[in-house]
């Protein structure tokens, strides 16, 4: 196989790989299809076309695969779109392993296109975009090399080095053109079946279990994966929100772990009203990302109403009913990979729940203490409080003491018989759960009702939304204050409440988040309306400025955009005309340059504006000894340049070698003659 | 009358063999005008390119002999028309004669109806006659009283004019000069040639030595062959750039016309046959540039005749050095 053809096939196979990867990043393809495809791709890249011999027989394998996929779909374990995507990938793998002929190439590229379309339907994440571009570039280069290959006669090597730079430039232009097309050309909005539930790569990182175990496992604080994205109304602005986002509360502590009293309170409601709210509620549109991994709804403290929930799963998106649990937890009634919903929350300052309205199990639990509680806990609390009975003041006093006397650490000490005593009297260091547990129990020993709350603390601004990372998971204390309900008191030192990652990782993540967000806004959710906005923004004066509206002239940025566009067109036009006008360095021209260089070494130089033809004629007239060697070279050059018979591969080198030999001989003879004289 | 020197080859000439035929013709012309090999080749090139020839020379250097030798060597039918002040178009084109027996008019072709016509001292005829001839040259046919009469093929005109003695002449307008593919002058023979002429000829006409080495059919085939020669876009571009250079030159009032560009291409195509090639090189263009264009450019200086030709030739050679040939 010719070298260029090998490169073309590698590019083709890599393009197919990228197309498959664009689907695979959604994480929804069944693992076995992933494995099969990867094996096929590796074999193809290694040049092992395993199915080259028995294409039809091996195609039966595809039938088997199709049957398995159909079974999966009918049994409901696989979405139809995902199954179709997986099948496209396997067809591609089969084609990769078949004998490489033009028909196969076409099928590989076609299946690549199908896979890219599938990838768009499955995820459309930023990583998908990268693979899409890679597919475009690789496939175009491969196709273009195929055209070059068809043009070069059989048996001659492909001028790969010569064609790659112009091809790359062409592909660059094509990509730029595609972007312009994307931005400006009116589109049809195909509402894909949209199993937009990409769990990404890797398992979920948080999640709310029914228990919180002190001294548990994992260093979740350093985990930067985004679990929640929310837009707030009214938008508070600011880069860091620093708010408490509550998931659920716990009220029973057995000395080792926290659990909740009670179970399901209300089943399958489309809208949950946890507590009545006033006028100044904060509206949130929340998206729980697959990395979240739980079924508990998260909302800004203190949630009032939750609803409009949609659960996304591999088999599509649908409205999800909600359940209310004891402990103020709201759950999705059905499992999903990701969710979106809306929530209204009361402004900070208390939940408004009065003690009497709480269910009796919860009322009882708020003062319960584990049986084997270390007596020192109660003594210490009494000593710190020094007679303070007002719940909120007492809680704040204890929290201040905890923040002052204890250090924050993520180095967990493993399981202890009494983790609380270990924290308070031995290690004097722990994480948020230790702090919150200590505060809650110390309050309870003094007869003040309190409970443990878990959720997230923080909120990082990305464009117009706030995000929460897995590392923002947090625990704190709810103190029951008469008239105000539950009030949040946080015993954890403030610096250690939000996510704790290394600084540069944070910066990189912030960059990635910004890119991801821009990708979502500018590509995934880019619509006809956005196109209209782009066009309108260019010509309309900015809203609200009456003076500008009266002028009825386009705003300066329209002029600027027009100027920039004009400049770009001008520069491109100049570049194109210069490129077109520039004489191409033809093979024959390079050849004549080489010939003249050889002649110059024999001190035969061309006069100004004398062509090789005329030089040859002059030498013939002068009976120069080199005429015999030069004439055939000249003739061949003229034929190649003006006669439409280009130099064959290697012919120039051969002619030059003959000429060089003649020149060497000539110089040797003249040297000998001059020595003799 | 001489017999043809050889039986004409049945096979049509190819680029590889055409130059042997052309060499034979040029050799016979060289016999008639000795010591003028370059001019003999140029005349051959002109005939093969299908163009007409303008000889500008003082009397007595062999213009007429050259024309007659050309006719004879190629076996072309020949007529010599002496252009005089009283020559009328009908005298050269022919006329409708009334036939008393049939009571009809019948066309009697004039001396123009030959394959090679020598228009001797063309500038002595009145413009009306000149233009009748020039029209026939351009069209290859004659129209009389609404009837078109085709001239015999290959049709070639060799015109002569005396560039020094202008008394009683009607100088050819530049537009009409443009219709001649090649203009050349023979010039006086070298002294040794003149001496040899004196010694050997002894009054025997030089034409007797010229043999017929070709045929009208072969000339027609050569013309067809020349027209087929490949002209690479780079060479065509070179011709165009040369033309533009003449138009932009400060000393030239009117540069090469489009007809001049076409003529140069045709002449270069014929010229390329000499090298047994089937394509035109910039060298071919350069070889025929001066004879092809020197009479077509109008200089700003008011000189006339030979001096103008020399100066134009000089300017064109300078242009050739300035306009880079394609590589």
């Amino acid at each position: 196989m010719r070298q260029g053809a090998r490169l073309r096939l590698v590019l083709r196979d890599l393009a197919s790989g990228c197309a498959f990867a664009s689907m695979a990043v959604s994480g929804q393809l069944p693992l076995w299809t992933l494995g099969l495809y990867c094996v096929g791709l590796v074999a193809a890249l290694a040049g092992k076309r395993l199915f080259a011999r028995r294409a039809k027989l091996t195609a039966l394998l595809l039938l088997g695969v199709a049957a398995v996929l159909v079974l999966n779909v009918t049994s409901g374990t696989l979405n139809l779109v995902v199954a179709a995507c997986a099948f496209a990938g396997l067809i591609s793998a089969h084609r990769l392993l078949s004998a490489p002929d033009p028909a196969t190439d076409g099928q590989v590229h076609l299946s690549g296109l199908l896979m890219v379309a599938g990838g768009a339907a499955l995820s459309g994440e930023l990583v998908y975009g990268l693979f899409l571009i890679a597919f475009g570039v690789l496939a175009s280069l491969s196709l273009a090399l195929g055209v070059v290959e068809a043009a070069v006669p059989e048996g001659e090597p492909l001028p790969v080095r010569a064609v790659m730079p112009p091809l790359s430039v062409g592909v660059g232009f094509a990509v730029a053109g595609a972007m312009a097309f994307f931005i400006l050309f009116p589109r049809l909005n195909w509402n894909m079946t949209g199993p937009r539930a990409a769990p990404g790569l890797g398992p979920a990182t948080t999640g709310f279990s029914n228990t919180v175990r002190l001294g548990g496992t994992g260093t979740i604080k350093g985990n930067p994966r985004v679990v929640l994205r929310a837009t707030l109304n009214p938008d508070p602005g600011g880069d860091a929100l620093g708010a408490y986002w509550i998931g659920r509360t716990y009220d029973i502590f057995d000395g080792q772990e926290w659990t909740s009293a009670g179970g399901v309170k209300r089943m399958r409601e489309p809208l949950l009203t946890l507590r009545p709210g006033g006028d100044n509620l904060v509206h949130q549109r929340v998206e729980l990302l697959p990395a979240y991994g739980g079924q508990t709804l998260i909302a800004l403290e203190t949630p009032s109403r939750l609803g409009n929930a949609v659960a996304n799963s591999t088999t599509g998106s649908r409205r999800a009913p909600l359940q209310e649990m004891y402990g103020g937890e709201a759950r999705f009634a059905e499992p999903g990979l990701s969710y979106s919903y809306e929530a209204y929350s009361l402004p900070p300052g208390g939940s408004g729940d009065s003690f009497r309205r709480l269910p009796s199990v919860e009322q009882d639990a708020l003062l319960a203490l584990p049986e084997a509680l270390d007596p020192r806990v109660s003594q210490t609390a009494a000593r710190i409080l020094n007679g303070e009975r007002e719940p909120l003041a007492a809680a704040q006093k204890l929290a201040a003491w905890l923040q002052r006397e204890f250090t924050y650490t993520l180095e967990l000490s493993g399981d202890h018989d009494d983790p609380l005593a270990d924290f308070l009297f031995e290690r004097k260091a722990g994480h948020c759960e230790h702090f919150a547990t200590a505060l809650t129990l110390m309050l309870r020993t003094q007869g003040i009702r309190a409970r443990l709350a878990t959720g997230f603390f923080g909120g990082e601004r990305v464009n117009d939304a706030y995000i929460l990372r897995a590392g923002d998971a947090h625990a704190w204390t709810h103190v029951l204050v008469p008239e105000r309900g539950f009030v949040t008191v946080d015993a954890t030192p403030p610096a250690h409440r939000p996510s704790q990652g290394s600084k540069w990782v944070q910066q990189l993540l912030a960059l990635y988040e910004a890119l991801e967000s821009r990708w979502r806004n500018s590509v995934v959710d880019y619509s006809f309306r956005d196109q209209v906005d782009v066009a309108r923004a260019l010509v309309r004066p900015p809203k609200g400025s009456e003076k500008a509206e009266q002028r009825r002239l386009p705003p300066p940025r329209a002029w600027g955009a027009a100027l920039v566009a004009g400049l770009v067109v001008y520069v491109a036009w100049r570049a194109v005309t210069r490129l077109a006008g520039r004489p191409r360095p033809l093979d024959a021209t390079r050849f004549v340059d080489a010939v003249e260089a050889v002649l110059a070494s024999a001190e035969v130089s061309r006069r100004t504006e004398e062509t090789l033809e005329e030089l040859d004629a002059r030498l013939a007239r002068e009976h120069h000894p080199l005429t015999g060697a030069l004439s055939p070279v000249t003739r061949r050059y003229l034929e190649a340049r003006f006669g439409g018979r280009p130099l064959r591969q290697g012919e120039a080198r051969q002619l030059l070698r003959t000429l060089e030999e003649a020149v060497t001989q000539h110089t040797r003879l003249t040297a000998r003659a001059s020595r003799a004289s | 009358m001489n017999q043809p020197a050889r039986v004409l080859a049945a096979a049509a000439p190819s680029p590889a063999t055409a130059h042997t035929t052309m060499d034979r013709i040029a050799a016979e012309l060289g016999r008639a005008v000795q010591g003028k090999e370059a001019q003999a080749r140029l005349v051959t090139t002109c005939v093969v390119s299908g163009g007409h020839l303008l000889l500008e020379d003082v009397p007595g250097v062999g213009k007429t002999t050259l024309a007659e030798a050309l006719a004879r060597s190629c076996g072309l039918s020949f007529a010599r028309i002496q252009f005089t002040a009283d020559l009328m178009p009908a005298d050269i084109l022919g006329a409708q004669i009334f036939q008393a027996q049939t009571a009809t008019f019948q066309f009697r072709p004039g001396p123009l109806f030959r394959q090679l016509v020598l228009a001797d001292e063309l500038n002595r005829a009145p413009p009306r006659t000149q233009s009748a001839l020039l029209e026939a040259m351009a069209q290859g046919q004659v129209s009389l009283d609404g009837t078109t009469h085709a001239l015999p093929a290959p049709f070639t005109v060799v015109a002569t004019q005396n560039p020094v003695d202008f008394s009683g002449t009607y100088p050819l307008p530049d537009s009409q000069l443009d219709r001649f593919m090649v203009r050349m002058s023979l010039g006086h023979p070298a002294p040794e040639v003149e001496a040899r002429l004196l010694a050997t000829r002894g009054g025997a006409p030089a034409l007797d030595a010229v043999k017929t080495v070709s045929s009208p059919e072969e000339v027609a085939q050569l013309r067809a062959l020349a027209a087929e020669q490949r002209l690479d876009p780079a060479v065509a571009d070179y011709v165009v750039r040369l033309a533009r250079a003449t138009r932009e030159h400060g000393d030239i009032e009117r540069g090469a016309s489009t007809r001049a560009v076409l003529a140069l291409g045709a002449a270069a195509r014929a010229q390329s046959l000499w090298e047994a090639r089937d394509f035109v090189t910039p060298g071919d263009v350069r070889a025929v540039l001066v004879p092809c264009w020197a009479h077509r450019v109008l200089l700003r200086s008011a000189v006339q005749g030979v001096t103008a030709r020399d100066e134009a030739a000089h300017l064109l050679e300078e242009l050739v050095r300035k306009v880079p040939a394609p590589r």
Side-chain angles (χ1 to χ4, degrees):
Chain A
M1 184 182 287
R2 298 198 273 184
Q3 192 159 14
R6 174 111 187 81
L7 174 67
R8 176 176 61 77
L9 286 178
V10 168
L11 286 174
R12 184 198 76 176
D13 298 352
L14 285 178
S16 166
C18 285
F20 189 81
S22 76
M23 301 192 303
V25 289
S26 74
Q28 297 182 59
L29 294 185
L31 266 184
W32 58 274
T33 58
L34 210 73
L36 281 182
Y37 183 86
C38 289
V39 169
L41 180 63
V42 169
L45 283 175
K48 306 241 178 300
R49 312 283 167 187
L50 304 173
F51 297 163
R53 290 269 176 85
R54 295 172 180 269
K56 280 185 186 155
L57 200 64
T58 52
L60 288 177
L61 290 175
L62 284 177
L63 279 183
V65 167
V68 173
L69 288 172
V70 166
L71 273 180
N72 278 337
V73 171
T74 46
S75 69
T77 51
L78 200 59
N79 177 262
L80 184 61
V81 177
V82 178
C85 292
F87 191 59
L90 292 172
I91 289 176
S92 188
H94 180 267
R95 294 286 87 200
L96 288 183
L97 293 176
S98 304
D101 54 43
T104 313
D105 292 347
Q107 288 153 357
V108 168
H109 288 305
L110 189 62
S111 59
L113 278 176
L114 277 175
M115 290 195 284
V116 163
L122 292 184
S123 78
E125 297 292 320
L126 178 60
V127 193
Y128 159 80
L130 295 179
F131 278 117
L132 167 66
I133 293 172
F135 166 77
V137 169
L138 291 170
S140 318
L141 283 179
S142 167
L143 281 170
L145 273 183
V147 173
V148 173
E149 198 178 320
V152 172
E154 198 67 38
E156 284 186 26
L158 290 180
V160 174
R161 271 167 197 275
V163 300
M164 276 317 243
L167 285 186
S168 308
V169 171
V171 169
F173 270 106
V175 169
M179 285 182 181
F181 189 85
F182 178 86
I183 292 170
L184 295 172
F185 198 81
R187 72 207 48 233
L188 295 169
N189 207 348
W190 291 345
N191 197 0
M192 301 296 275
T193 42
R196 281 278 173 80
L201 304 167
T205 48
T206 64
F208 283 79
S209 56
N210 285 325
T211 59
V212 169
R213 189 180 180 85
L214 282 190
T217 53
T219 52
I220 215 171
K221 270 295 178 201
N223 193 318
R225 296 192 62 191
V226 177
V227 294
L228 179 147
R229 186 180 279 124
T231 48
L232 271 55
N233 185 21
D235 191 341
D239 284 343
L241 191 61
Y244 291 89
W245 302 74
I246 193 162
R248 62 171 298 184
T249 58
Y250 297 86
D251 26 36
I252 303 171
F253 186 65
D254 69 351
Q256 290 270 346
E257 57 185 27
W258 284 95
T259 47
S260 261
V264 181
K265 202 166 160 189
R266 274 191 287 169
M267 280 295 281
R268 309 186 72 81
E269 300 274 337
L271 175 77
L272 285 183
T273 305
L274 299 179
R275 47 187 68 81
D279 294 333
N280 48 352
L281 297 178
V282 180
H283 174 250
Q284 305 137 66
R285 192 179 295 276
V286 183
E287 202 179 340
L288 283 176
L289 302 178
Y292 173 66
Q295 260 174 274
T296 304
L297 278 75
I298 303 287
L300 275 174
E301 200 156 58
T302 307
S304 164
R305 285 206 301 278
L306 297 159
N308 252 346
V310 174
N312 307 310
S313 69
T314 47
T315 47
S317 304
R318 62 189 176 281
R319 292 213 158 265
L322 301 174
Q323 293 175 325
E324 187 186 355
M325 319 288 285
Y326 282 94
E329 180 190 4
R331 276 185 173 223
F332 296 101
E334 290 164 5
L337 280 168
S338 66
Y339 308 93
S340 61
Y341 55 92
E342 289 176 66
Y344 286 94
S345 293
L346 302 170
S351 67
D353 295 333
S354 69
F355 178 68
R356 277 185 202 86
R357 279 174 49 205
L358 286 176
S360 59
V361 277
E362 286 188 18
Q363 288 181 8
D364 298 344
L366 287 174
L367 277 175
L369 292 169
E371 286 170 11
L373 184 73
D374 195 309
R376 285 178 292 173
V377 177
S378 172
Q379 293 161 11
T380 316
R383 181 169 53 84
I384 306 299
L385 288 182
N386 198 14
E388 175 66 66
R389 304 300 304 165
E390 206 281 306
L392 191 56
Q396 279 163 349
K397 208 165 181 181
L398 278 172
W401 175 75
L402 283 166
Q403 287 174 12
R404 194 169 61 240
E405 302 288 329
F406 292 76
T407 52
Y408 187 91
T409 180
L410 283 171
E411 288 163 21
L412 303 169
S413 53
D415 277 356
H416 275 268
D417 289 343
D418 189 350
L420 183 64
D422 178 60
F423 167 69
L424 281 174
F425 309 116
E426 304 295 326
R427 281 166 56 88
K428 295 193 179 243
H431 53 74
C432 55
E433 287 170 3
H434 293 110
F435 283 95
T437 306
L439 177 58
T440 311
L441 288 184
M442 287 171 101
L443 285 170
R444 286 185 181 183
T445 58
Q446 302 306 307
I448 297 169
R449 292 183 171 83
R451 67 184 183 193
L452 181 79
T454 56
F456 295 87
F457 177 84
E460 216 177 294
R461 181 88 173 190
V462 173
N463 294 343
D464 55 351
Y466 287 96
I467 56 160
L468 289 176
R469 301 178 188 282
D472 291 331
H474 192 50
W476 60 94
T477 304
H478 275 172
V479 184
L480 188 64
V481 180
E483 308 302 321
R484 286 175 67 183
F486 287 104
V487 176
T488 294
V489 177
D490 197 345
T492 310
H496 298 287
R497 287 170 193 167
S499 176
Q500 308 286 312
S502 82
K503 200 151 204 176
W504 65 270
V505 171
Q506 296 263 339
Q507 283 172 348
L508 275 183
L509 283 165
L511 182 69
Y512 179 82
E513 287 306 326
L515 278 177
E516 165 88 30
S517 166
R518 205 151 281 284
W519 168 262
R520 274 176 176 276
N521 289 338
S522 318
V523 180
V524 179
D525 297 333
Y526 190 76
S527 63
F528 181 63
R529 196 189 176 87
D530 293 309
Q531 286 182 321
V532 174
D533 287 345
V534 164
R536 195 175 286 160
L538 285 174
V539 289
R540 279 258 179 99
K543 267 185 193 168
S545 84
E546 279 185 18
K547 210 190 266 179
E549 274 175 21
Q550 281 167 359
R551 246 187 15 226
R552 287 190 173 274
L553 275 175
R557 66 170 179 279
W559 297 108
L563 192 69
V564 167
L567 272 178
V568 166
V569 168
Y570 174 73
V571 166
W573 178 74
R574 279 289 298 271
V576 165
T577 46
R578 195 175 306 152
L579 275 180
R582 198 175 58 184
R584 282 181 302 148
L586 299 167
D587 278 351
T589 313
R590 279 202 297 274
F591 175 60
V592 77
D593 289 340
V595 167
E596 281 174 4
V598 171
L599 288 177
S601 72
E603 293 178 359
V604 178
S605 53
R606 185 169 75 86
R607 290 177 190 157
T608 334
E609 285 315 319
E610 189 177 42
T611 59
L612 183 65
E613 194 181 357
E614 286 159 343
L615 173 71
D616 179 45
R618 178 161 64 84
L619 293 187
R621 279 199 303 278
E622 291 168 3
H623 301 292
H624 195 281
L626 281 178
T627 307
L630 183 59
S631 288
V633 172
T634 308
R635 187 159 180 100
R636 190 65 192 92
Y637 154 69
L638 290 173
E639 274 178 7
R641 178 69 177 91
F642 304 112
R645 285 185 287 276
L647 291 166
R648 290 185 300 277
Q649 193 73 29
E651 193 186 3
R653 212 176 310 139
Q654 196 185 336
L655 286 168
L656 278 175
R657 205 177 302 135
T658 326
L659 186 64
E660 274 164 5
E661 279 165 16
V663 165
T664 329
Q665 208 172 350
H666 167 66
T667 41
R668 203 180 300 143
L669 282 175
T670 42
R672 198 177 297 163
S674 64
R675 258 206 312 279
S677 65
Chain B
M1 186 78 187
N2 285 32
Q3 292 301 308
R6 60 181 190 102
V7 177
L8 294 171
S14 70
T17 59
H19 72 285
T20 57
T21 317
M22 289 163 66
D23 270 332
R24 278 200 306 273
I25 297 171
E28 293 308 313
L29 296 180
R31 252 188 250 275
V33 283
Q34 290 189 17
K36 299 285 175 195
E37 280 74 24
Q39 282 87 342
R41 281 169 70 99
L42 186 56
V43 170
T44 315
T45 308
C46 178
V47 170
V48 170
S49 70
H52 306 287
L53 179 68
L54 178 64
L55 289 170
E56 284 187 330
D57 251 322
V58 290
V61 292
K63 298 192 290 277
T64 314
T65 315
L66 181 67
E68 257 183 273
L70 181 61
R72 185 178 286 208
S73 62
C74 296
L76 304 173
S77 58
F78 179 74
R80 176 174 179 276
I81 309 171
Q82 181 65 47
F83 278 57
T84 54
D86 56 355
L87 194 72
M88 286 292 111
D91 296 331
I92 59 169
L93 300 179
Q96 302 278 13
I97 304 294
F98 183 73
Q99 298 285 329
Q101 296 92 334
T102 56
T104 54
F105 283 96
Q106 197 178 10
F107 178 65
R108 194 196 64 190
L112 195 62
F113 285 77
R114 300 289 192 282
Q115 284 161 327
L116 193 121
V117 175
L118 173 64
D120 219 353
E121 304 212 57
L122 177 61
N123 54 347
R124 296 210 172 271
R128 202 174 148 215
T129 314
Q130 282 176 7
S131 60
L133 173 74
L134 292 165
E135 201 182 321
M137 283 162 61
Q139 312 287 337
Q141 62 187 26
V142 169
S143 294
L144 269 180
D145 299 337
T147 316
T148 304
H149 306 279
L151 292 164
F155 176 70
T156 307
V157 171
V158 177
T160 74
Q161 63 176 354
N162 184 337
V164 179
D165 177 15
F166 289 111
S167 58
T169 63
Y170 305 90
L172 289 178
D174 288 306
S175 60
Q176 301 210 333
L177 271 178
D178 210 12
R179 293 176 197 272
F180 288 98
M181 171 82 78
V182 164
R183 182 218 71 97
M184 55 177 274
S185 54
L186 287 170
H188 296 286
E192 63 271 17
V193 174
E194 278 186 320
R196 196 165 61 241
L197 280 175
L198 266 177
T200 57
R201 192 181 286 176
L207 277 174
D208 290 350
V210 177
K211 297 191 289 287
T212 302
V213 292
S214 185
S215 64
E217 292 75 28
E218 203 173 24
V219 171
Q221 283 168 348
L222 281 175
R223 284 186 176 184
L225 189 65
E228 289 295 309
Q229 291 289 83
R230 175 192 161 93
L231 187 78
D232 193 80
V235 183
D237 175 62
Y238 180 50
V239 173
V240 172
R241 278 188 291 129
L242 284 169
R244 206 168 55 204
T246 65
R247 291 164 199 165
E248 290 165 1
H249 197 285
D251 293 342
I252 296 176
E253 176 74 39
R254 196 182 55 227
S257 63
T258 303
R259 188 188 285 146
V261 168
L262 295 176
L264 184 58
R269 281 188 160 106
Q271 175 71 18
S272 67
L273 284 175
W274 287 106
E275 301 294 330
R277 279 191 258 101
D278 60 355
F279 57 92
V280 180
T281 67
D284 296 328
V285 174
R286 289 180 171 197
V288 291
L289 177 71
V290 170
C292 209
W293 277 7
H295 62 290
R296 295 173 199 263
V297 294
L298 181 65
L299 300 178
R300 281 200 200 285
S301 56
V303 289
Q304 272 196 321
V306 173
T307 333
R309 306 287 183 247
D310 287 349
E311 200 172 322
H314 179 72
L315 281 178
L316 286 173
E317 276 160 10
E318 192 184 282
L319 277 181
V320 165
R321 282 196 297 276
K322 274 191 195 151
V323 178
R327 279 165 70 78

